[in-house]
Short mmCIF file of all heavy atoms in Angstrom, two decimals:
data_model
loop_
_atom_site.label_atom_id
_atom_site.label_comp_id
_atom_site.label_asym_id
_atom_site.label_seq_id
_atom_site.Cartn_x
_atom_site.Cartn_y
_atom_site.Cartn_z
N ARG A 79 47.42 -42.93 -14.15
CA ARG A 79 48.35 -42.14 -13.33
C ARG A 79 49.59 -42.93 -12.91
O ARG A 79 50.66 -42.35 -12.73
CB ARG A 79 47.65 -41.53 -12.12
CG ARG A 79 47.24 -42.47 -11.01
CD ARG A 79 46.39 -41.75 -9.99
NE ARG A 79 45.18 -41.21 -10.59
CZ ARG A 79 44.74 -39.95 -10.40
NH1 ARG A 79 45.38 -39.14 -9.60
NH2 ARG A 79 43.64 -39.56 -10.99
N GLU A 80 49.50 -44.25 -12.75
CA GLU A 80 50.70 -44.98 -12.33
C GLU A 80 51.71 -45.08 -13.48
O GLU A 80 52.92 -45.21 -13.24
CB GLU A 80 50.33 -46.37 -11.79
CG GLU A 80 49.58 -46.26 -10.46
CD GLU A 80 49.45 -47.56 -9.67
OE1 GLU A 80 49.84 -48.63 -10.18
OE2 GLU A 80 48.94 -47.50 -8.54
N LEU A 81 51.23 -45.00 -14.70
CA LEU A 81 52.16 -45.03 -15.84
C LEU A 81 52.93 -43.72 -15.97
O LEU A 81 53.98 -43.66 -16.58
CB LEU A 81 51.40 -45.29 -17.15
CG LEU A 81 51.26 -46.76 -17.54
CD1 LEU A 81 50.40 -47.52 -16.56
CD2 LEU A 81 50.69 -46.89 -18.93
N ARG A 82 52.37 -42.67 -15.36
CA ARG A 82 53.02 -41.36 -15.46
C ARG A 82 54.00 -41.13 -14.31
O ARG A 82 54.61 -40.07 -14.22
CB ARG A 82 51.95 -40.25 -15.49
CG ARG A 82 51.14 -40.26 -16.77
CD ARG A 82 50.20 -39.07 -16.85
NE ARG A 82 48.84 -39.41 -16.44
CZ ARG A 82 48.20 -38.86 -15.41
NH1 ARG A 82 48.80 -37.98 -14.66
NH2 ARG A 82 46.98 -39.23 -15.12
N ARG A 83 54.14 -42.13 -13.41
CA ARG A 83 55.01 -41.96 -12.24
C ARG A 83 56.24 -42.84 -12.36
O ARG A 83 56.14 -43.98 -12.79
CB ARG A 83 54.21 -42.37 -11.00
CG ARG A 83 54.36 -41.46 -9.85
CD ARG A 83 53.34 -41.71 -8.76
NE ARG A 83 53.20 -43.09 -8.37
CZ ARG A 83 52.01 -43.66 -8.09
NH1 ARG A 83 50.90 -42.98 -8.18
NH2 ARG A 83 51.96 -44.92 -7.72
N GLU A 84 57.40 -42.30 -11.98
CA GLU A 84 58.64 -43.08 -12.01
C GLU A 84 58.66 -44.09 -10.86
O GLU A 84 57.94 -43.94 -9.89
CB GLU A 84 59.85 -42.15 -11.84
CG GLU A 84 60.09 -41.21 -13.00
CD GLU A 84 60.35 -41.96 -14.30
OE1 GLU A 84 61.17 -42.89 -14.30
OE2 GLU A 84 59.72 -41.62 -15.32
N GLY A 85 59.49 -45.10 -10.98
CA GLY A 85 59.74 -46.02 -9.87
C GLY A 85 58.63 -47.05 -9.70
O GLY A 85 57.74 -47.18 -10.54
N LEU A 86 58.70 -47.78 -8.57
CA LEU A 86 57.69 -48.80 -8.30
C LEU A 86 56.32 -48.15 -8.12
O LEU A 86 56.22 -47.02 -7.66
CB LEU A 86 58.05 -49.57 -7.03
CG LEU A 86 59.32 -50.43 -7.06
CD1 LEU A 86 59.54 -51.11 -5.72
CD2 LEU A 86 59.23 -51.46 -8.17
N SER A 87 55.27 -48.89 -8.49
CA SER A 87 53.91 -48.34 -8.39
C SER A 87 53.33 -48.71 -7.03
O SER A 87 52.91 -49.84 -6.82
CB SER A 87 53.04 -48.93 -9.50
OG SER A 87 53.64 -48.70 -10.76
N TYR A 88 53.32 -47.75 -6.12
CA TYR A 88 52.75 -47.99 -4.80
C TYR A 88 51.34 -47.41 -4.73
O TYR A 88 51.12 -46.26 -5.10
CB TYR A 88 53.60 -47.33 -3.72
CG TYR A 88 54.97 -47.94 -3.54
CD1 TYR A 88 56.11 -47.17 -3.66
CD2 TYR A 88 55.10 -49.29 -3.22
CE1 TYR A 88 57.36 -47.72 -3.47
CE2 TYR A 88 56.35 -49.86 -3.04
CZ TYR A 88 57.49 -49.08 -3.17
OH TYR A 88 58.71 -49.63 -2.99
N MET A 89 50.40 -48.20 -4.19
CA MET A 89 49.03 -47.74 -4.06
C MET A 89 48.94 -46.53 -3.12
O MET A 89 48.11 -45.65 -3.31
CB MET A 89 48.14 -48.89 -3.56
CG MET A 89 46.67 -48.58 -3.47
SD MET A 89 45.95 -47.73 -4.90
CE MET A 89 45.88 -49.03 -6.13
N PHE A 90 49.82 -46.47 -2.11
CA PHE A 90 49.83 -45.30 -1.23
C PHE A 90 49.98 -44.02 -2.05
O PHE A 90 49.22 -43.06 -1.87
CB PHE A 90 50.98 -45.43 -0.20
CG PHE A 90 51.09 -44.22 0.68
CD1 PHE A 90 50.31 -44.11 1.83
CD2 PHE A 90 51.96 -43.19 0.36
CE1 PHE A 90 50.40 -42.98 2.63
CE2 PHE A 90 52.04 -42.06 1.15
CZ PHE A 90 51.26 -41.96 2.30
N ASP A 91 50.96 -43.99 -2.96
CA ASP A 91 51.20 -42.80 -3.78
C ASP A 91 50.00 -42.51 -4.69
O ASP A 91 49.65 -41.35 -4.93
CB ASP A 91 52.44 -42.98 -4.66
CG ASP A 91 53.70 -43.19 -3.82
OD1 ASP A 91 53.73 -42.70 -2.68
OD2 ASP A 91 54.64 -43.83 -4.32
N THR A 92 49.38 -43.57 -5.18
CA THR A 92 48.21 -43.40 -6.06
C THR A 92 47.06 -42.76 -5.31
O THR A 92 46.38 -41.87 -5.82
CB THR A 92 47.81 -44.78 -6.63
OG1 THR A 92 48.92 -45.27 -7.37
CG2 THR A 92 46.59 -44.69 -7.52
N LEU A 93 46.85 -43.20 -4.07
CA LEU A 93 45.75 -42.62 -3.28
C LEU A 93 46.05 -41.16 -2.92
O LEU A 93 45.15 -40.31 -2.95
CB LEU A 93 45.51 -43.46 -2.02
CG LEU A 93 44.96 -44.87 -2.28
CD1 LEU A 93 44.86 -45.66 -0.96
CD2 LEU A 93 43.59 -44.83 -2.96
N VAL A 94 47.31 -40.85 -2.62
CA VAL A 94 47.69 -39.45 -2.34
C VAL A 94 47.38 -38.61 -3.57
O VAL A 94 46.79 -37.52 -3.48
CB VAL A 94 49.19 -39.35 -1.96
CG1 VAL A 94 49.66 -37.90 -1.97
CG2 VAL A 94 49.44 -39.98 -0.60
N SER A 95 47.73 -39.11 -4.73
CA SER A 95 47.50 -38.36 -5.97
C SER A 95 45.99 -38.21 -6.25
O SER A 95 45.54 -37.16 -6.72
CB SER A 95 48.27 -39.06 -7.09
OG SER A 95 47.56 -39.13 -8.26
N LEU A 96 45.20 -39.24 -5.94
CA LEU A 96 43.75 -39.13 -6.12
C LEU A 96 43.16 -38.09 -5.17
O LEU A 96 42.26 -37.33 -5.53
CB LEU A 96 43.09 -40.49 -5.91
CG LEU A 96 43.28 -41.47 -7.07
CD1 LEU A 96 43.05 -42.90 -6.61
CD2 LEU A 96 42.32 -41.13 -8.22
N ARG A 97 43.68 -38.06 -3.93
CA ARG A 97 43.21 -37.05 -2.97
C ARG A 97 43.53 -35.64 -3.48
O ARG A 97 42.74 -34.71 -3.29
CB ARG A 97 43.86 -37.26 -1.60
CG ARG A 97 43.19 -38.34 -0.77
CD ARG A 97 41.86 -37.84 -0.20
NE ARG A 97 41.09 -38.92 0.40
CZ ARG A 97 39.79 -39.06 0.30
NH1 ARG A 97 39.07 -38.21 -0.40
NH2 ARG A 97 39.16 -40.05 0.89
N GLU A 98 44.69 -35.49 -4.13
CA GLU A 98 45.03 -34.18 -4.69
C GLU A 98 44.02 -33.79 -5.76
O GLU A 98 43.60 -32.64 -5.86
CB GLU A 98 46.45 -34.19 -5.29
CG GLU A 98 47.52 -34.10 -4.22
CD GLU A 98 48.91 -34.48 -4.73
OE1 GLU A 98 49.08 -34.67 -5.95
OE2 GLU A 98 49.82 -34.60 -3.89
N ASP A 99 43.58 -34.76 -6.53
CA ASP A 99 42.63 -34.47 -7.62
C ASP A 99 41.20 -34.26 -7.10
O ASP A 99 40.48 -33.41 -7.61
CB ASP A 99 42.58 -35.63 -8.63
CG ASP A 99 43.80 -35.66 -9.52
OD1 ASP A 99 44.69 -34.81 -9.34
OD2 ASP A 99 43.87 -36.54 -10.39
N PHE A 100 40.79 -35.06 -6.12
CA PHE A 100 39.37 -35.07 -5.75
C PHE A 100 39.08 -34.40 -4.41
O PHE A 100 37.92 -34.26 -4.04
CB PHE A 100 38.85 -36.52 -5.73
CG PHE A 100 38.78 -37.14 -7.10
CD1 PHE A 100 39.76 -38.01 -7.55
CD2 PHE A 100 37.73 -36.83 -7.96
CE1 PHE A 100 39.70 -38.56 -8.82
CE2 PHE A 100 37.66 -37.37 -9.24
CZ PHE A 100 38.65 -38.25 -9.67
N GLY A 101 40.12 -34.03 -3.66
CA GLY A 101 39.90 -33.35 -2.38
C GLY A 101 39.71 -34.34 -1.24
O GLY A 101 39.73 -35.56 -1.44
N ASP A 102 39.52 -33.80 -0.03
CA ASP A 102 39.51 -34.64 1.17
C ASP A 102 38.12 -35.14 1.56
O ASP A 102 37.99 -36.00 2.43
CB ASP A 102 40.09 -33.86 2.35
CG ASP A 102 41.57 -33.60 2.15
OD1 ASP A 102 42.21 -34.40 1.43
OD2 ASP A 102 42.08 -32.60 2.69
N GLU A 103 37.07 -34.59 0.95
CA GLU A 103 35.72 -34.89 1.43
C GLU A 103 35.13 -36.17 0.83
O GLU A 103 34.41 -36.91 1.51
CB GLU A 103 34.77 -33.73 1.08
CG GLU A 103 35.17 -32.40 1.70
CD GLU A 103 35.17 -32.47 3.22
OE1 GLU A 103 34.24 -33.08 3.78
OE2 GLU A 103 36.12 -31.95 3.84
N ILE A 104 35.41 -36.40 -0.43
CA ILE A 104 34.72 -37.51 -1.13
C ILE A 104 35.25 -38.86 -0.64
O ILE A 104 36.47 -39.03 -0.48
CB ILE A 104 34.87 -37.36 -2.66
CG1 ILE A 104 33.98 -38.38 -3.38
CG2 ILE A 104 36.31 -37.53 -3.13
CD1 ILE A 104 33.62 -37.98 -4.77
N PRO A 105 34.37 -39.82 -0.37
CA PRO A 105 34.87 -41.14 0.02
C PRO A 105 35.61 -41.82 -1.15
O PRO A 105 35.11 -41.81 -2.28
CB PRO A 105 33.60 -41.92 0.37
CG PRO A 105 32.55 -40.88 0.64
CD PRO A 105 32.89 -39.73 -0.27
N LEU A 106 36.77 -42.34 -0.85
CA LEU A 106 37.51 -43.16 -1.82
C LEU A 106 37.48 -44.60 -1.31
O LEU A 106 37.61 -44.83 -0.11
CB LEU A 106 38.97 -42.71 -1.94
CG LEU A 106 39.27 -41.33 -2.50
CD1 LEU A 106 40.77 -41.11 -2.59
CD2 LEU A 106 38.63 -41.14 -3.88
N CYS A 107 37.30 -45.55 -2.21
CA CYS A 107 37.28 -46.97 -1.83
C CYS A 107 38.35 -47.71 -2.60
O CYS A 107 38.24 -47.87 -3.82
CB CYS A 107 35.94 -47.61 -2.16
SG CYS A 107 34.55 -46.87 -1.31
N LEU A 108 39.36 -48.15 -1.90
CA LEU A 108 40.39 -48.99 -2.51
C LEU A 108 39.82 -50.41 -2.60
O LEU A 108 39.48 -51.01 -1.58
CB LEU A 108 41.65 -48.97 -1.65
CG LEU A 108 42.71 -50.00 -1.97
CD1 LEU A 108 43.22 -49.83 -3.39
CD2 LEU A 108 43.86 -49.89 -0.97
N ILE A 109 39.69 -50.92 -3.81
CA ILE A 109 39.08 -52.24 -4.03
C ILE A 109 40.18 -53.28 -4.21
O ILE A 109 41.08 -53.11 -5.03
CB ILE A 109 38.19 -52.20 -5.29
CG1 ILE A 109 37.07 -51.17 -5.13
CG2 ILE A 109 37.64 -53.58 -5.61
CD1 ILE A 109 36.33 -50.87 -6.43
N VAL A 110 40.10 -54.36 -3.44
CA VAL A 110 41.08 -55.45 -3.59
C VAL A 110 40.35 -56.79 -3.49
O VAL A 110 39.33 -56.91 -2.82
CB VAL A 110 42.18 -55.41 -2.50
CG1 VAL A 110 43.11 -54.23 -2.69
CG2 VAL A 110 41.59 -55.40 -1.10
N GLY A 111 40.89 -57.79 -4.16
CA GLY A 111 40.38 -59.15 -3.99
C GLY A 111 40.88 -59.72 -2.67
O GLY A 111 41.81 -59.17 -2.06
N THR A 112 40.26 -60.81 -2.22
CA THR A 112 40.66 -61.37 -0.91
C THR A 112 42.13 -61.76 -0.90
O THR A 112 42.82 -61.56 0.10
CB THR A 112 39.83 -62.61 -0.53
OG1 THR A 112 39.41 -63.28 -1.70
CG2 THR A 112 38.62 -62.25 0.29
N ASP A 113 42.64 -62.27 -2.02
CA ASP A 113 44.05 -62.69 -2.06
C ASP A 113 44.98 -61.49 -1.87
O ASP A 113 45.97 -61.56 -1.14
CB ASP A 113 44.36 -63.41 -3.37
CG ASP A 113 44.07 -62.53 -4.58
OD1 ASP A 113 43.02 -61.86 -4.60
OD2 ASP A 113 44.89 -62.52 -5.51
N ALA A 114 44.64 -60.38 -2.51
CA ALA A 114 45.47 -59.17 -2.36
C ALA A 114 45.34 -58.62 -0.94
O ALA A 114 46.34 -58.18 -0.34
CB ALA A 114 45.04 -58.12 -3.39
N PHE A 115 44.13 -58.66 -0.38
CA PHE A 115 43.93 -58.12 0.97
C PHE A 115 44.76 -58.89 2.00
O PHE A 115 45.32 -58.29 2.93
CB PHE A 115 42.45 -58.16 1.35
CG PHE A 115 42.19 -57.57 2.71
CD1 PHE A 115 42.29 -56.20 2.92
CD2 PHE A 115 41.88 -58.39 3.78
CE1 PHE A 115 42.09 -55.66 4.17
CE2 PHE A 115 41.68 -57.85 5.04
CZ PHE A 115 41.77 -56.48 5.24
N ARG A 116 44.88 -60.20 1.81
CA ARG A 116 45.63 -61.01 2.78
C ARG A 116 47.10 -60.64 2.84
O ARG A 116 47.80 -60.97 3.79
CB ARG A 116 45.49 -62.49 2.43
CG ARG A 116 44.05 -63.01 2.51
CD ARG A 116 43.96 -64.41 1.96
NE ARG A 116 44.95 -65.24 2.61
CZ ARG A 116 44.83 -65.69 3.84
NH1 ARG A 116 43.74 -65.44 4.52
NH2 ARG A 116 45.78 -66.39 4.39
N GLU A 117 47.58 -59.96 1.80
CA GLU A 117 48.99 -59.53 1.74
C GLU A 117 49.15 -58.05 2.07
O GLU A 117 50.24 -57.49 1.89
CB GLU A 117 49.55 -59.79 0.33
CG GLU A 117 49.49 -61.23 -0.13
CD GLU A 117 50.32 -62.12 0.77
OE1 GLU A 117 51.42 -61.70 1.17
OE2 GLU A 117 49.85 -63.24 1.09
N LEU A 118 48.07 -57.42 2.50
CA LEU A 118 48.10 -55.96 2.66
C LEU A 118 49.24 -55.49 3.56
O LEU A 118 49.85 -54.44 3.33
CB LEU A 118 46.76 -55.47 3.23
CG LEU A 118 46.55 -53.96 3.13
CD1 LEU A 118 46.13 -53.58 1.70
CD2 LEU A 118 45.49 -53.48 4.12
N HIS A 119 49.55 -56.30 4.58
CA HIS A 119 50.59 -55.89 5.54
C HIS A 119 51.99 -55.85 4.91
O HIS A 119 52.95 -55.45 5.58
CB HIS A 119 50.58 -56.83 6.74
CG HIS A 119 50.79 -58.26 6.35
ND1 HIS A 119 49.84 -58.99 5.67
CD2 HIS A 119 51.85 -59.08 6.51
CE1 HIS A 119 50.30 -60.20 5.44
NE2 HIS A 119 51.52 -60.28 5.94
N THR A 120 52.11 -56.28 3.65
CA THR A 120 53.41 -56.20 2.97
C THR A 120 53.47 -54.97 2.06
O THR A 120 54.49 -54.73 1.42
CB THR A 120 53.68 -57.46 2.12
OG1 THR A 120 52.71 -57.51 1.04
CG2 THR A 120 53.56 -58.74 2.93
N TRP A 121 52.38 -54.23 1.97
CA TRP A 121 52.34 -53.07 1.07
C TRP A 121 53.08 -51.88 1.68
O TRP A 121 53.09 -51.70 2.91
CB TRP A 121 50.90 -52.66 0.77
CG TRP A 121 50.12 -53.61 -0.08
CD1 TRP A 121 50.34 -54.95 -0.25
CD2 TRP A 121 48.94 -53.29 -0.86
NE1 TRP A 121 49.39 -55.48 -1.10
CE2 TRP A 121 48.52 -54.49 -1.48
CE3 TRP A 121 48.22 -52.13 -1.08
CZ2 TRP A 121 47.41 -54.55 -2.31
CZ3 TRP A 121 47.11 -52.18 -1.91
CH2 TRP A 121 46.71 -53.38 -2.52
N HIS A 122 53.62 -51.05 0.81
CA HIS A 122 54.29 -49.81 1.20
C HIS A 122 53.33 -48.92 2.01
O HIS A 122 52.23 -48.62 1.55
CB HIS A 122 54.72 -49.11 -0.10
CG HIS A 122 55.40 -47.81 0.06
ND1 HIS A 122 56.61 -47.66 0.72
CD2 HIS A 122 55.05 -46.56 -0.37
CE1 HIS A 122 56.97 -46.40 0.67
NE2 HIS A 122 56.05 -45.71 0.03
N ARG A 123 53.72 -48.54 3.22
CA ARG A 123 52.96 -47.63 4.10
C ARG A 123 51.51 -48.09 4.30
O ARG A 123 50.57 -47.27 4.31
CB ARG A 123 53.01 -46.20 3.53
CG ARG A 123 54.46 -45.71 3.45
CD ARG A 123 54.59 -44.30 2.93
NE ARG A 123 54.16 -43.32 3.91
CZ ARG A 123 54.42 -42.01 3.79
NH1 ARG A 123 55.11 -41.55 2.79
NH2 ARG A 123 53.99 -41.17 4.70
N TRP A 124 51.36 -49.42 4.47
CA TRP A 124 50.01 -49.99 4.51
C TRP A 124 49.18 -49.47 5.67
O TRP A 124 47.96 -49.31 5.54
CB TRP A 124 50.08 -51.51 4.52
CG TRP A 124 50.65 -52.10 5.78
CD1 TRP A 124 51.97 -52.15 6.13
CD2 TRP A 124 49.93 -52.71 6.85
NE1 TRP A 124 52.12 -52.76 7.35
CE2 TRP A 124 50.87 -53.11 7.82
CE3 TRP A 124 48.59 -52.96 7.09
CZ2 TRP A 124 50.51 -53.75 9.00
CZ3 TRP A 124 48.22 -53.60 8.27
CH2 TRP A 124 49.17 -53.98 9.20
N ARG A 125 49.82 -49.18 6.80
CA ARG A 125 49.03 -48.73 7.96
C ARG A 125 48.41 -47.36 7.73
O ARG A 125 47.48 -46.97 8.43
CB ARG A 125 49.93 -48.69 9.20
CG ARG A 125 50.25 -50.06 9.75
CD ARG A 125 51.04 -49.94 11.03
NE ARG A 125 51.42 -51.25 11.52
CZ ARG A 125 50.62 -52.05 12.21
NH1 ARG A 125 49.39 -51.68 12.48
NH2 ARG A 125 51.05 -53.23 12.62
N GLU A 126 48.94 -46.63 6.76
CA GLU A 126 48.40 -45.28 6.49
C GLU A 126 47.30 -45.29 5.44
O GLU A 126 46.65 -44.26 5.23
CB GLU A 126 49.53 -44.36 6.03
CG GLU A 126 50.58 -44.12 7.10
CD GLU A 126 51.85 -43.53 6.51
OE1 GLU A 126 51.88 -42.31 6.29
OE2 GLU A 126 52.79 -44.31 6.26
N LEU A 127 47.08 -46.43 4.80
CA LEU A 127 46.07 -46.47 3.73
C LEU A 127 44.67 -46.04 4.22
O LEU A 127 43.98 -45.30 3.52
CB LEU A 127 46.01 -47.87 3.09
CG LEU A 127 47.29 -48.33 2.37
CD1 LEU A 127 47.15 -49.77 1.90
CD2 LEU A 127 47.61 -47.41 1.19
N PRO A 128 44.25 -46.45 5.45
CA PRO A 128 42.90 -46.06 5.90
C PRO A 128 42.74 -44.55 6.13
O PRO A 128 41.63 -44.07 6.23
CB PRO A 128 42.71 -46.83 7.22
CG PRO A 128 43.68 -47.95 7.14
CD PRO A 128 44.87 -47.42 6.38
N LYS A 129 43.86 -43.82 6.21
CA LYS A 129 43.73 -42.36 6.31
C LYS A 129 43.28 -41.78 4.97
O LYS A 129 42.74 -40.68 4.90
CB LYS A 129 45.07 -41.72 6.69
CG LYS A 129 45.48 -41.98 8.11
CD LYS A 129 46.74 -41.18 8.42
CE LYS A 129 47.40 -41.74 9.66
NZ LYS A 129 48.85 -41.62 9.64
N LEU A 130 43.58 -42.52 3.91
CA LEU A 130 43.32 -42.00 2.56
C LEU A 130 42.06 -42.57 1.94
O LEU A 130 41.43 -41.92 1.09
CB LEU A 130 44.51 -42.35 1.65
CG LEU A 130 45.84 -41.67 2.03
CD1 LEU A 130 47.02 -42.39 1.40
CD2 LEU A 130 45.80 -40.21 1.59
N ALA A 131 41.69 -43.81 2.32
CA ALA A 131 40.56 -44.48 1.63
C ALA A 131 39.94 -45.53 2.54
O ALA A 131 40.57 -45.99 3.49
CB ALA A 131 41.07 -45.15 0.35
N HIS A 132 38.71 -45.90 2.21
CA HIS A 132 38.16 -47.14 2.74
C HIS A 132 38.81 -48.29 1.97
O HIS A 132 39.35 -48.09 0.89
CB HIS A 132 36.65 -47.22 2.48
CG HIS A 132 35.83 -46.16 3.14
ND1 HIS A 132 35.72 -46.05 4.51
CD2 HIS A 132 35.06 -45.16 2.63
CE1 HIS A 132 34.90 -45.04 4.80
NE2 HIS A 132 34.50 -44.48 3.67
N ILE A 133 38.68 -49.50 2.50
CA ILE A 133 39.12 -50.67 1.74
C ILE A 133 37.90 -51.57 1.53
O ILE A 133 37.19 -51.89 2.50
CB ILE A 133 40.24 -51.43 2.48
CG1 ILE A 133 41.44 -50.51 2.69
CG2 ILE A 133 40.64 -52.69 1.71
CD1 ILE A 133 42.56 -51.10 3.53
N VAL A 134 37.62 -51.90 0.29
CA VAL A 134 36.51 -52.80 -0.02
C VAL A 134 37.12 -54.10 -0.55
O VAL A 134 37.87 -54.09 -1.53
CB VAL A 134 35.57 -52.19 -1.08
CG1 VAL A 134 34.53 -53.20 -1.53
CG2 VAL A 134 34.89 -50.94 -0.52
N VAL A 135 36.82 -55.20 0.14
CA VAL A 135 37.39 -56.49 -0.24
C VAL A 135 36.35 -57.28 -1.02
O VAL A 135 35.26 -57.56 -0.51
CB VAL A 135 37.83 -57.28 1.01
CG1 VAL A 135 38.56 -58.56 0.60
CG2 VAL A 135 38.71 -56.43 1.92
N MET A 136 36.67 -57.63 -2.26
CA MET A 136 35.76 -58.47 -3.04
C MET A 136 36.22 -59.91 -2.90
O MET A 136 37.36 -60.25 -3.14
CB MET A 136 35.65 -58.04 -4.50
CG MET A 136 36.92 -57.62 -5.15
SD MET A 136 36.58 -57.00 -6.81
CE MET A 136 38.27 -56.96 -7.42
#
Side-chain angles (χ1 to χ4, degrees):
R79 72 188 59 228
E80 291 194 354
L81 270 65
R82 291 186 262 118
R83 223 167 49 220
E84 292 300 312
L86 294 179
S87 305
Y88 292 123
M89 184 46 73
F90 177 85
D91 299 333
T92 299
L93 293 175
V94 168
S95 139
L96 284 160
R97 279 285 170 220
E98 282 165 8
D99 285 1
F100 291 100
D102 292 334
E103 300 299 318
I104 189 156
L106 295 182
C107 299
L108 168 61
I109 300 168
V110 291
T112 29
D113 58 317
F115 182 72
R116 297 172 52 75
E117 301 298 320
L118 194 78
H119 57 290
T120 65
W121 290 23
H122 179 62
R123 300 181 73 166
W124 68 283
R125 286 184 184 279
E126 295 164 81
L127 297 175
K129 289 186 197 148
L130 295 162
H132 297 295
I133 300 174
V134 173
V135 186
M136 39 185 193

